[in-house]
Amino acid sequence: MKHWKVINEKEVFNVKKRLTVSVQKIKLHDGRIIDDYYQVRLPSSVITVARTKKKDILMSRQYFHGFKKVSIVLPGGIIEKGEKPLQTAKRELLEETGYSSDDWQLLGSFVTHVHQVCSKVHFFFADNAKQIAKPLSNDLEDMEIILMTEKEIINAIKNEDIISMGTITALTLAKVILYHKPKPV
Amino acid sequence: MKHWKVINEKEVFNVKKRLTVSVQKIKLHDGRIIDDYYQVRLPSSVITVARTKKKDILMSRQYFHGFKKVSIVLPGGIIEKGEKPLQTAKRELLEETGYSSDDWQLLGSFVTHVHQVCSKVHFFFADNAKQIAKPLSNDLEDMEIILMTEKEIINAIKNEDIISMGTITALTLAKVILYHKPKPV
């Protein structure tokens, strides 16, 4: 299957390296030329399903301005320059929740919006998480850390208190992978 | 938990109603003012896990310019003006694969990029899908329709032939929901 060829690319919009929009002139697999194929690039990020010894999952209740609602999400964040995904996952878990784990597993890495938006999300599972510090206060957000059982999570999904696609992907990936391999290594 | 207040909003970028970037002046929950909070809006979309009577899943192999790779994805697409999500799911399944089903179930609706990007994705499961037409040829893409067993899908994920977050979310959601409720209604 043939790839498309980028004849030229011009950045048309850039916000503090957190969001770039560019327009490409493209030659398709069949030779046709497209003058204005837009691409959006967002930073890569991580999301972690962290489970305590009691099998509770660490989550936070926050206000999300993107869809103007209070919602429950898993800990995670943007990969900073020079960081490996696992380092980001450990840093974000500690900063957001004050918890730490010695038992990490990568659940998978996937790409959002495959046609026009390029951003990678790495999903982790951290078992036997323990509180070792207080959460750091976040610059903008007002958040509340909560421990949830699997049953509470299922109810929160049914009540639309969990609506982040990243959070649902991490939870279902963990469930499917842990179901196939009951003992993570 | 207090919401943020939008004092004003200015659209700074718009591509054919498929992508809009706007900058908002915001009053945070604690009264602080943020002058330049960016928001990206992308159209809402649907993704379908369609299963045949033989328990094969309908997928397509395509080139994705967003990450410059050939990859395997589930059928789906953007909700057009005036369409309900289920109508889009039925239309896209038929157009992309030539298959149809009378046995649809909503797996859930989730939001991508909760902080700055607002786009909703609706996930469906369609059982007993049957071929009733030839796939329509797509405007830009060169694609191949394939039927995959669950084992082939797991191998494709391991080999990184499936890297779309939308596709993995739909597959794991279907797995978790069908596992809890073996007989979809």
Side-chain angles (χ1 to χ4, degrees), chain A residues 4 15-16 24 26 29 32 36 38 63 65-67 111 114-115 118 139-142 163 165 169 172, chain B residues 4 15-16 24 26 29 32 36 38 63 65-67 111 114-115 118 139-142 163 165 169 172:
Chain A
W4 298 353
V15 185
K16 302 168 190 165
Q24 297 181 336
I26 282 175
H29 55 283
R32 276 179 298 164
D36 57 348
Y38 283 87
Y63 166 68
H65 193 65
F67 53 99
V111 175
V114 287
H115 287 290
C118 209
D139 184 30
L140 296 184
E141 284 110 15
D142 169 24
I163 61 171
M165 185 163 145
T169 308
T172 53
Chain B
W4 298 353
V15 186
K16 303 166 187 165
Q24 298 181 336
I26 281 176
H29 54 284
R32 277 179 299 163
D36 57 347
Y38 283 86
Y63 165 68
H65 191 66
F67 53 99
V111 175
V114 286
H115 287 289
C118 208
D139 183 33
L140 297 183
E141 283 109 16
D142 169 25
I163 61 170
M165 185 162 146
T169 307
T172 52

Side-chain angles (χ1 to χ4, degrees), chain B residues 24 29 112 116 122-124 138 150 175:
Chain B
Q24 298 181 336
H29 54 284
T112 61
Q116 258 140 340
H122 305 271
F123 297 94
F124 289 95
N138 183 295
E150 187 173 322
K175 181 81 185 160

Side-chain angles (χ1 to χ4, degrees), chain B residues 20-37:
Chain B
T20 8
V21 181
S22 64
V23 55
Q24 298 181 336
K25 184 175 177 179
I26 281 176
K27 191 177 179 178
L28 297 187
H29 54 284
D30 57 8
R32 277 179 299 163
I33 303 290
I34 302 292
D35 282 321
D36 57 347
Y37 198 85

Side-chain angles (χ1 to χ4, degrees), chain B residues 143-154:
Chain B
M143 62 160 85
E144 181 195 349
I145 303 304
I146 45 179
L147 285 166
M148 296 178 81
T149 62
E150 187 173 322
K151 204 175 159 185
E152 285 166 345
I153 290 173
I154 292 168

